[in-house]
Amino acid sequence: SNIRQLMEEECGLGKRLTTFDVDANALNQHGRPDGFDGLVIESPRGIPILVARKSFSDALLRRVGRGTDLWYQVREGKGSRVLLRTSLCRNLSRSPRQCHEMAADLAAYFSTARHFEAAEVIYTDSRHVAKRGARVGQMKDNKRLGALTAQPERVASIAREAQEEQGWL
């Protein structure tokens, strides 16, 4: 009770609790950086996956990307950049395969390859994403860590649900 009083009075928690709006904070889910208006989708292992809007400047995603985070984009065509934020899950030394596949599927779903049965998605870490020039936010094919065959249909219902919940539609 002394701790609660200290938190409420000296740390300002009391005032924050009286003005806290659950609905206003609904979009502030785990992994969403300030200023990011794209989608945040949780992978099967709880890793946040950021999906940027197609018109989104990739500067913010490049800034929040850390060591073990991985970028995904379709190899051919245009689409959203997708960032698997493994760095936020300290208990994982690398991204599990199912999370890789989901991020790749999302990159394909939010691209010109959405209606194809399969699409090649390349991925790399944040160090290999262009920071300036004409290709800002894009990865160079020769800098990719790997490629996956993505199946956009596997994430179609998850993507539509996230779009509805997060006001993208």
Side-chain angles (χ1 to χ4, degrees), residues 7 11 36 56 65 80 82 86 97 116 118 132 136 150 158 163:
M7 296 291 289
C11 298
F36 180 69
F56 184 74
S80 296
V82 173
T86 308
R97 178 89 185 155
F116 297 151
R132 54 189 163 290
V136 169
I158 292 168
Q163 286 177 300

Side-chain angles (χ1 to χ4, degrees), residues 16-28:
R16 290 186 71 199
L17 286 174
T18 60
T19 60
F20 184 77
D21 181 357
V22 174
D23 294 330
N25 288 288
L27 288 181
N28 294 333

